[in-house]
Amino acid sequence: MLHFARWQIVGIIGVILLGVLAVVPNLVPKSWLDTWPSWLPHQRIVLGLDLQGGAYLLYQVDRDDYIEKRLRSMTGEVRNALRSEPRIGYTGLGVVDGGVQVRIRDASQLEEARDRLSGLTNPLGQSLFGSPAVEEFALTEGSDGLLRFTFTEEGLAQRIRSIVDQSIEVVRRRIDELGTTEPSIQREGENRILVEAPGGNPEQLKGLVGTTAQLTFHLVDTNVDPQQALQTRPPAGSMVLMGSEDDPYDPGRAYVVEESPLLTGEDLVDAQPGFQQQTNEPIVTFRLTTSGARRFGEITSQNVNRPFAIVLDDEVISAPVIREPITGGSGQISGSFSVQSANDLAILLRAGALPAALTLVEERTVGPGLGADSVAAGETASIVAAVLVAASMIAVYGLFGFFANVALVTNVVLILGLLSLLGATLTLPGIAGIVLTMGMAVDANVLIYERIREEGRAGRSPILAIDAGFSRAFATILDANVTTLIAAVILFQLGSGPVRGFAVTLAIGILTTVFTAFLFTRMMVALWVRRRRPSAIPI
Amino acid sequence: MKLLSLPTDTKIPFMRWRKPVMLGALVAVIASIVLFFTVGMNFGIDFRGGTVVEMRFEKPVDIAELRSEIGDLNFGDVQIVEFGQPTDVMVRVAEQPGGDEAQQRVVIMLRELYDEEAEFRRVEVVGPRVSGELAEAGIIAVVVALLAIMAYIWLRFEWHFAVGAVVTTANDVLLTLGLFSVTQLDFNLTSIAAVLTIVGYSLNDTVVVYDRLRENLRRYKRMPLPELIDLSINQMLSRTLMTSGTTVLALIALAAFGGEVIRSFTIAMIWGVVVGTFSSIFIAAPMLITLNMRPGRTSGTAGKGSDADGDEADEPQPANA
C-alpha cells in the first residue's frame, strides 16, 4: 500500500497536472485563449442559465392545431377535386368527428369520385423499394355515397415528427437573426422543442419563437356588413377576421374577407423594417418572388379601389385600399408598429411561418442580475465551506489533515477540470454539489485516518498501521461512494436543467474523491513515510 | 500540532437505548406521515403548475399593498412573500384554469403592473402538462434510486443488511418529508434532488457502519449481537462525528451565503445529514437485531451456529485490546 513505483507517481502527478491544465482556460481572457496552440485544452465550463441569466423555454407542437388546419385544407382539396370538370355533385362537405367527409349525390358518379379522391390520401416520405409508403389519410366509404377521410395513426405521427423538425429549423432561423449568443434548440421527446438562450430579452425571445407568423393577403368583401356577418354567418367562401386590439384608431374591428388568400408568406423573398416617409411611422417593407409579384400585379390591377387585408395569424394587421396596380413586386405593411415590433415582424417574415402553432408549456427565465448574484453567492459559500472544512481537518488531524486539505484542493481542481473537458454546465445546484462534495470528500480521508489510529492502538508499528489503514478502508470507501454514485446517476437520468447540473458535479465529485483519497493522499503519506521513517503515528 | 481530539475508546452502550429510541423514531415517522396527509407539503409550481415571479423593487416594498394590487387581478390562490431582503418579493400564483396558454396571462399582467418599478429577476411558468410529468419523474427517480441502491447492498452484503438499509433510508426520507410538511418549505424539483442526496448520504453512513459490523461479525464469532453492534458503533464514532461535522459545516456555509434560491435545498440537506447520521446508529444497526441476524446469540450464550457470512474470519484478533 505504501510502495509507489516511479511510474505510478508520475502517473498520479500527470493526472493532476492535466486537471490543472484543463482549468486554466477558465482563468485566462478569451483573447488569450484564441492564440493558444490547438493541442492545449480550450473548453471552458459553461455557466448554466441560472448563473448567467437567460431563458429556458419548452414548447409543444400543438397537435390539435395542426389537425384542425390540415383538415381545413383537406376540405379545400376535396372541394377542388370534385369541382373540376366534369363536376361531380356533392353535399355535406365538411369536418366531422376528426375527419373530412362528403356525400356524393349521384350514385352513378360515385366510382369517378372515389377515383379522384383516392389520389388525395397523400403518400408520405420516401418509400424505399418495395415498401409501401405511409399514407397520411385513409379513405373509407359509408352508405349512401358517403366518402370519409381520416388520419392514419402512422401518417399523423410522421407528419408531427416532420413538423417538429421544420419548426426547429424555423425557430433556429428566427433566433439566429436576433444574434443571441449560442442558443440551443433541440427536440425533446416526441413533439416538444426546448429553446435555451443565454442572456437577451426573454419577452422578445418568447414573442419571436411562439408566433406562428402565418402571413396572408386577402381581398376584403365590402358588400357584407361585418357586424351582421358576425351574428349570422359569412357568405360561402368568406370569413370574418378581427383586427388587432392594439390598433389605436379602431381596435378589434371585424373584417369580412375572402377565404382563399391572394398571397401567403411563402411568396415573400425578403422583409425589412423601415419608416414611412411622410409620417415617419415604423413599417415593414417586403419583396415578392417573381411569380408572387406577377400574381399580385394582376390582382391589384383588377381590384383598384378595393381594400385588401394583411393578415398575420388570423388577425388583420391593416387593410389598405389598393390605389393603383402594384406591379413592382414590393410593398409595405403599416400597422400600429413600434420600432421593435416592426423589426420582429420583419424577422418573422424572413424566417418563415411555423407549420403549426407552438404552445409554451414550461418557462424558466433568470435575469442577468440574479445570475450574477447567484455566482457571487456560490463563490462565497464555496470559499467559506472550504475554509471551515480545511480548518477542522487541520485541527483534528494535524499534518495528515494538511495532506487531506491538499487532496481537497486537488479534488476541486479536478472537478473543475473535468467539467471543463466535458463541456458540462455548471448550475447553482451544481455549485451546491461541489460544496457538498467538499464536505463528503474528507470522509474518505477520515475513514482512512481513523482506521490508521485504530490499527496503531491495536499495537501495530506506525508503518504497518498506515499500510493497513489504507487497505482496509478502501472497501468501505468504495461501497459508500458507489451508493451515492447510483443516486447521482439516477438524478441525471431523470432530472432536467439545474438538477442535472447538480447530478453531474456530484458524480464527478465522487470519482475525483476516490482518486484523490485513495491515490493522491496515499502517495503523499507514502512519500512522507519514506522520508521521515516515523516512530509514532502523528494522528 | 493537533488542536482538537475526537473521542476514542468510547464505550457508549447505544443498544441499551435502542428500544425507546426506535420507538421514538417510529412515532416521528408516523407523525410525518400523518402531517403529510393532513397539513400536506407546500408543493411548488414544478408539481402543481403555476407561476413564480421574483421581483426586485427600487425601494422596499409594502407587501400588504402588493397583495391587494395583485389580488385585484383575480388569479385565485396567490402567495406573496419577502425574498431575502426588503426590496425583493416572490409572487407565486396557482395554476390558472384554461390549459397551457392561460398561464402566460399571469406574467403578462404582472409585467404590465410592475415592469416600470421592478426588475423581474426570475420568471418560472410551468403548465399543467409538464407539471404532471415532472411529478411522475420525481417519484420514479426516488423509487428507482432506492431499488438500485438496495440491489447494490444486497450484492455486497447479506439480505439483513439490505432490508436494514432500506428501512433506514425510508425512515430518513419520511422524516425529510415531515420536515417539509412542518416548515412548509417549498417542495420542488430541487427538493427531489435534496431527498435523493439525503438517500445517498444516509446510505453512505449506513454502509460505513455496516461495513464495520460485517468485519466484526467475522472477527468475534461468539460475541452477542448487541455488544458487537455497540463495539462497532463506538469504533466508528469519531469518524461519524467528523464526517457529519464537516458536511454540516459545508452546508451551513451554503445556507448562510448560497442565496435564497437554494436555501430550501440546503436546509433539507442539513436536516438529512443529522437524521442520516442518527439513523445509521439507532435504526440501521439495531434493525439487524430486530431481523434476528445472529439467532440464539443475542443473549450472550455462545453456540457454534452457522457463521453469519460464510467467510472465514481474516484475522481473529481483537482490535481494541
Side-chain angles (χ1 to χ4, degrees), chain A residues 489-512:
Chain A
V489 168
I490 289 166
L491 257 185
F492 182 80
Q493 289 292 324
L494 294 166
S496 71
V499 173
R500 210 165 234 214
F502 172 73
V504 169
T505 49
L506 194 62
I508 290 178
I510 290 165
L511 298 180
T512 55

Side-chain angles (χ1 to χ4, degrees), chain A residues 132-152:
Chain A
V134 176
E135 307 214 307
E136 187 181 13
F137 287 100
L139 179 61
T140 51
E141 209 173 321
S143 55
D144 292 338
L146 186 77
L147 292 172
R148 187 175 157 79
F149 285 100
T150 45
F151 281 107
T152 63

Side-chain angles (χ1 to χ4, degrees), chain A residues 215 244 246-248 273-275 280-285 310 312 317-318 332-346 349:
Chain A
L215 180 79
S244 166
D246 298 333
D247 191 333
F275 293 95
N280 217 22
E281 206 187 336
I283 52 166
V284 175
T285 60
I310 299 171
L312 187 74
I317 299 180
S318 62
Q332 53 174 249
I333 304 170
S334 60
S336 42
F337 293 127
S338 65
V339 176
Q340 169 159 2
S341 66
N343 188 37
D344 286 354
L345 180 61
L349 294 181

Side-chain angles (χ1 to χ4, degrees), chain A residues 200-523:
Chain A
N201 174 350
E203 291 306 310
Q204 188 187 13
L205 187 72
K206 270 157 65 182
L208 274 183
V209 176
T211 310
T212 308
Q214 183 67 57
L215 180 79
T216 48
F217 291 3
H218 299 260
L219 276 175
V220 176
D221 191 341
T222 44
N223 298 325
V224 187
D225 175 31
Q227 293 310 321
Q228 200 183 332
L230 266 179
Q231 276 151 23
T232 57
R233 236 175 71 129
S238 295
M239 56 183 177
V240 184
L241 291 179
M242 304 306 286
S244 166
E245 291 287 343
D246 298 333
D247 191 333
Y249 306 110
D250 198 356
R253 181 182 157 185
Y255 298 84
V256 178
V257 301
E258 288 183 5
E259 222 169 53
S260 56
L262 308 174
L263 291 174
T264 70
E266 289 177 14
D267 296 307
L268 261 54
V269 281
D270 191 19
Q272 292 295 337
F275 293 95
Q276 191 157 41
Q277 279 163 358
Q278 291 95 0
T279 61
N280 217 22
E281 206 187 336
I283 52 166
V284 175
T285 60
F286 61 86
R287 278 195 302 118
L288 294 167
T289 59
T290 328
S291 70
R294 186 158 10 91
R295 269 212 318 283
F296 198 50
E298 282 166 20
I299 295 162
T300 47
S301 28
Q302 287 159 17
N303 293 288
V304 174
N305 288 329
R306 268 186 79 180
F308 73 99
I310 299 171
V311 180
L312 187 74
D313 295 334
D314 292 336
E315 189 179 274
V316 178
I317 299 180
S318 62
V321 175
I322 302 164
R323 300 278 174 225
E324 55 195 288
I326 303 167
T327 51
S330 63
Q332 53 174 249
I333 304 170
S334 60
S336 42
F337 293 127
S338 65
V339 176
Q340 169 159 2
S341 66
N343 188 37
D344 286 354
L345 180 61
I347 290 176
L348 291 173
L349 294 181
R350 282 201 300 274
L354 288 169
L358 290 181
T359 310
L360 186 55
V361 291
E362 187 182 353
E363 169 190 358
R364 292 170 200 269
T365 53
V366 171
L370 180 61
D373 285 1
S374 292
V375 172
E379 271 173 8
T380 315
S382 312
I383 291 168
V384 173
V387 169
L388 287 176
V389 170
S392 40
M393 283 305 275
I394 298 236
V396 173
Y397 295 115
L399 177 67
F400 276 35
F402 172 75
F403 289 154
N405 289 340
V406 174
L408 184 66
V409 172
T410 313
N411 197 343
V412 173
V413 168
L414 285 178
I415 292 176
L416 296 177
L418 270 173
L419 282 175
S420 312
L421 285 180
L422 295 173
T425 306
L426 186 66
T427 60
L428 186 58
I431 295 181
I434 294 180
V435 174
L436 189 65
T437 306
M438 285 192 220
M440 287 170 71
V442 297
D443 182 44
N445 283 311
V446 171
L447 277 168
I448 293 165
Y449 294 169
E450 290 299 323
R451 190 77 205 207
I452 292 174
R453 275 185 177 177
E454 252 181 76
E455 299 293 336
R457 284 200 300 273
R460 289 177 194 254
S461 74
I463 293 177
L464 275 180
I466 291 171
D467 195 281
F470 275 103
S471 61
R472 297 220 170 143
F474 183 65
T476 312
I477 294 172
L478 199 67
D479 279 333
N481 281 290
V482 167
T483 50
T484 313
L485 190 62
I486 291 173
V489 168
I490 289 166
L491 257 185
F492 182 80
Q493 289 292 324
L494 294 166
S496 71
V499 173
R500 210 165 234 214
F502 172 73
V504 169
T505 49
L506 194 62
I508 290 178
I510 290 165
L511 298 180
T512 55
T513 297
V514 173
F515 171 84
T516 49
F518 206 67
L519 290 175
F520 186 53
T521 314
R522 184 157 62 98
M523 188 188 83

Side-chain angles (χ1 to χ4, degrees), chain B residues 107-179:
Chain B
V107 182
I108 292 169
M109 293 180 76
L110 286 177
R111 273 200 194 268
E112 258 171 32
L113 261 182
Y114 300 115
D115 217 8
E116 303 281 293
E117 45 183 327
E119 174 197 350
F120 278 64
R121 285 161 69 82
R122 183 163 62 108
V123 174
E124 298 192 351
V125 183
V126 179
R129 271 187 276 210
V130 172
S131 62
E133 292 164 25
L134 291 177
E136 196 178 309
I139 293 168
I140 293 175
V142 174
V143 172
V144 170
L146 278 177
L147 289 178
I149 291 167
M150 188 173 147
Y152 178 78
I153 294 182
W154 203 315
L155 274 175
R156 294 278 300 167
F157 294 85
E158 278 179 89
W159 71 266
H160 302 88
F161 290 101
V163 172
V166 167
V167 170
T168 309
T169 313
N171 169 75
D172 299 352
V173 169
L174 289 172
L175 288 181
T176 307
L177 297 187
L179 173 85

